[in-house]
């Protein structure tokens, strides 16, 4: 499972050093995604990658919930409104309906979750002073503590 870490930085020099240090880590391409940077006004900064909207919304969480809800609703609808044509045909219809419902739920959940901003990130972004920025990093469970320690050593404050 991946974790999204947020840090507050005070200057661009620290951001560049953190970015270069994360790229130098041997497990970086596999276990660490980013870093991405957010300013108060949302504009990209001098050569630093900007955070994508899916990293600051509940898009993925709602998409996963949509898969489960869509599959369950489609199977119940198939069983309730369908006509039984035998055990194998009914099982195949439930499987196909569940797969279609899961895809539809995933799409709808992603669309709805993409509109809901993470409250903590929005509050931290609103409190940023001129020249400050938020750093967003995605990492696997095993590298979370080492990334947190490294960014803290280089001047980042965990949010």
């Amino acid at each position: 499972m991946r974790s999204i870490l947020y840090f507050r930085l005070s200057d661009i020099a620290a951001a560049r050093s953190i970015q270069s240090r994360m790229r130098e880590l041997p497990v970086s391409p596999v276990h660490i995604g980013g870093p991405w940077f957010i300013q108060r006004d949302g504009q990209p900064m001098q050569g630093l990658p900007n955070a994508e909207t899916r990293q600051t919304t509940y898009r993925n969480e709602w998409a996963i919930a949509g898969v489960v809800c869509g599959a369950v609703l489609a199977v119940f609808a198939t069983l309730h409104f369908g006509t039984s044509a035998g055990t194998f045909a009914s099982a195949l219809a439930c499987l196909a309906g569940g797969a279609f419902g899961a895809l539809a739920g995933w799409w709808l959940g992603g669309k709805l979750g993409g509109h809901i901003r993470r409250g903590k990130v929005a509050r931290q972004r609103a409190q940023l002073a001129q020249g400050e920025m938020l750093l967003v990093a995605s990492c696997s469970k095993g590298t979370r503590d080492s990334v947190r320690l490294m960014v803290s050593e280089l001047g980042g404050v965990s949010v």
Side-chain angles (χ1 to χ4, degrees):
M1 188 165 149
R2 298 195 61 83
S3 297
I4 305 287
L5 302 176
Y6 300 96
F7 298 93
R8 179 179 263 181
L9 299 174
S10 58
D11 61 348
I12 291 202
R16 292 193 192 284
S17 66
I18 290 170
Q19 184 181 24
S20 65
R21 188 104 176 258
M22 278 191 179
R23 287 184 181 158
E24 292 172 359
L25 292 174
V27 296
S28 181
V30 176
H31 298 289
I32 300 171
W36 299 280
F37 301 92
I38 303 172
Q39 275 188 324
R40 182 179 181 141
D41 59 0
Q43 298 297 319
M45 290 173 282
Q46 311 157 355
L48 296 174
N50 204 9
E52 299 174 19
T53 57
R54 66 186 158 99
Q55 295 158 336
T56 57
T57 64
Y58 288 100
R59 179 182 309 264
N60 293 334
E61 289 87 346
W62 277 57
I64 291 169
V67 165
V68 174
C69 292
V72 169
L73 287 174
V75 168
F76 281 139
T78 303
L79 290 174
H80 184 9
F81 295 114
T83 305
S84 180
T87 305
F88 181 72
S90 295
L92 192 59
C94 285
L95 183 66
F100 179 73
L103 285 173
W106 170 76
W107 178 80
L108 184 62
K111 288 290 184 188
L112 294 175
H115 295 292
I116 302 171
R117 299 273 177 209
R118 293 187 185 270
K120 187 173 184 178
V121 174
R123 284 189 300 275
Q124 290 294 328
R125 182 178 176 182
Q127 294 174 0
L128 288 174
Q130 192 70 0
E132 283 188 328
M133 65 194 83
L134 284 177
L135 176 143
V136 179
S138 169
C139 58
S140 64
K141 186 178 179 183
T143 59
R144 180 178 55 203
D145 293 330
S146 61
V147 168
R148 189 176 286 157
L149 180 65
M150 180 190 66
V151 173
S152 296
E153 288 174 354
L154 294 173
V157 178
S158 183
V159 173

